[in-house]
Amino acid sequence: MFLLDRAVLIPQDIDPANPPPGSRLHALAGASMGTTWSARVAGPDIDGRQVTLRAALQAELDAIVAQMSHWEDDSLLSRYNRAPAGTWIDLPPQFFEVVDYALWACDASGGAYDPAAGALVELWGFGPRRRYDHAGFYAPDAAAIARVQAAHLEAARPTLDRASRRLLQPGGAVLDLSSVAKGYAVDRLALCLEGRGLRHYLVEVGGELRGAGLKPDGQPWWVEVEAVPDGGATPQAVVALHGLSVATSGDYRQYFELEQRRVSHTLDPRTGRPAASGVAAVTVLAPTCMAADALSTVLNVLGPVDGLAFAERRALAARFLVRRAGRLEEVVSPAWEALLQ
């Protein structure tokens, strides 16, 4: 059902049978990436190794922050953004996997998603420095938007050398992987557990989730799809994460009001302005959380018409909540509808 036109990482060794005898639920948690993370693990008693297991999960997240954070000046991403034109940056496996997928998503979406649109993110106040929620912030005027957008469109795209696993800074490229790195972090937590023989789990970072196996009661990991806070009486969707991930992109997470319009952190790199699709939220189910994270942003920018067509071409399970006439209208892809049935 979740056929994408590129390879995705799908766990091959998840036991779909009942949890092992004596299974019980264990909870681990922490903080990273400006938010919280959690892991619920079903299995035999692991009390004796909870400390080391939590440390291993935290280490996975710390590595992602060290590589991909645009908040940390000494992260690999920040060093790439400052590198002179013509510089090749060697990539560790995690960074390579994320930027490889992000560049694919850019191509597949016709530029509706662009990991090198960091200058636009900063311009609109959603980067680490010129913040929309800080005193003194003002929205960019048309001239500033045109200037930054022109530089963005004229800049050469970062070139990925897959054979040598390195990335070229063509000059002026500003990476921002915030719409894919958190989903990838969820996948890394899952793989960390699987590498230790733990096949029944629900892992989460900042509300994005991946589940596998079953709970101790033999039920799958049922989760509620993230609701739109100002969405009124929209029916709540519930999905079972049995070898699946879920992520939502919404206009209610980071935004400010400008001339009675909601200016969301989801930007359209093709226009240099916030997405104007009318979408309040898009939820995507996929085998990996990296895919669900990036593709929910893609569909948010494309909107309910082009986005639905994108999802249909790839048999992608997606749910749109569209703001129309003071209410939310639900639009779902055939794969989403088939899954729930």
Side-chain angles (χ1 to χ4, degrees):
M1 177 179 295
F2 302 98
L3 300 178
L4 304 179
D5 52 7
R6 60 156 286 137
V8 296
L9 178 66
I10 302 176
Q12 298 295 320
D13 191 28
I14 293 178
D15 180 10
N18 289 331
S23 176
R24 53 183 287 246
L25 191 63
H26 309 272
L28 303 164
S32 183
M33 307 176 78
T35 186
T36 59
W37 65 266
S38 65
R40 298 181 183 181
V41 183
D45 189 0
I46 62 169
D47 289 342
R49 54 178 177 142
Q50 280 209 31
V51 173
T52 56
L53 184 57
R54 184 193 177 282
L57 294 171
Q58 187 68 54
E60 291 284 352
L61 299 173
D62 292 346
I64 293 170
V65 169
Q67 292 178 31
M68 304 176 217
S69 173
H70 62 290
W71 293 84
E72 303 291 336
D73 288 338
D74 61 348
S75 70
L76 179 58
L77 182 145
S78 294
R79 285 183 274 128
Y80 172 87
N81 287 344
R82 295 193 300 266
T87 303
W88 284 97
I89 303 294
D90 293 327
L91 304 181
Q94 299 96 320
F95 199 116
F96 173 81
E97 189 173 357
V98 169
V99 79
D100 187 23
Y101 191 87
L103 291 173
W104 168 83
C106 181
D107 288 340
S109 67
Y113 178 96
D114 190 344
L120 290 172
V121 175
E122 187 72 21
L123 175 69
W124 282 97
F126 299 110
R129 283 167 285 278
R130 187 176 173 271
R131 293 287 300 172
Y132 74 96
D133 51 0
H134 288 181
F137 171 79
Y138 56 90
D141 59 22
I145 297 168
R147 184 169 58 251
V148 174
Q149 177 67 351
H152 169 66
L153 294 177
E154 292 170 5
R157 168 177 158 162
T159 300
L160 183 63
D161 180 350
R162 291 180 173 83
S164 300
R165 209 170 66 196
R166 58 181 186 158
L167 187 67
L168 176 67
Q169 170 57 273
V174 183
L175 288 181
D176 183 337
L177 300 175
S178 56
S179 59
V180 63
K182 188 167 68 171
Y184 180 73
V186 175
D187 292 332
R188 294 302 306 181
L189 295 183
L191 295 178
C192 181
L193 294 175
E194 291 172 17
R196 287 158 176 78
L198 301 168
R199 306 299 191 199
H200 304 270
Y201 58 79
L202 179 70
V203 290
E204 170 265 344
V205 178
E208 299 181 359
L209 304 103
R210 173 167 165 168
L214 302 170
K215 296 188 295 182
D217 61 4
Q219 287 289 313
W221 302 95
W222 291 98
V223 299
E224 287 189 348
V225 172
E226 184 175 304
V228 177
D230 59 344
T234 305
Q236 186 61 49
V238 180
V239 297
L241 298 185
H242 186 69
L244 289 175
S245 302
V246 62
T248 297
S249 173
D251 69 357
Y252 50 85
R253 288 181 170 173
Q254 297 184 64
Y255 70 93
F256 60 89
E257 299 287 344
L258 178 65
E259 298 175 352
Q260 299 183 331
R261 291 188 303 109
R262 179 175 300 209
V263 177
S264 168
H265 74 289
T266 302
L267 304 178
D268 187 340
R270 301 168 300 181
T271 66
R273 297 174 180 271
S277 62
V279 172
V282 180
T283 298
V284 170
L285 286 164
T288 70
C289 206
M290 176 175 69
D293 193 6
L295 293 175
S296 64
T297 301
V298 167
L299 299 185
N300 195 336
V301 175
L302 290 176
V305 177
D306 292 342
L308 184 62
F310 181 99
E312 289 178 348
R313 287 195 301 271
R314 291 161 177 81
L316 184 68
R319 177 191 189 230
F320 300 77
L321 293 178
V322 187
R323 297 186 187 276
R324 286 179 179 153
R327 62 184 181 85
L328 293 182
E329 178 180 319
E330 182 183 61
V331 178
V332 301
S333 68
W336 179 282
E337 190 172 9
L339 181 71
L340 295 190
Q341 289 178 352

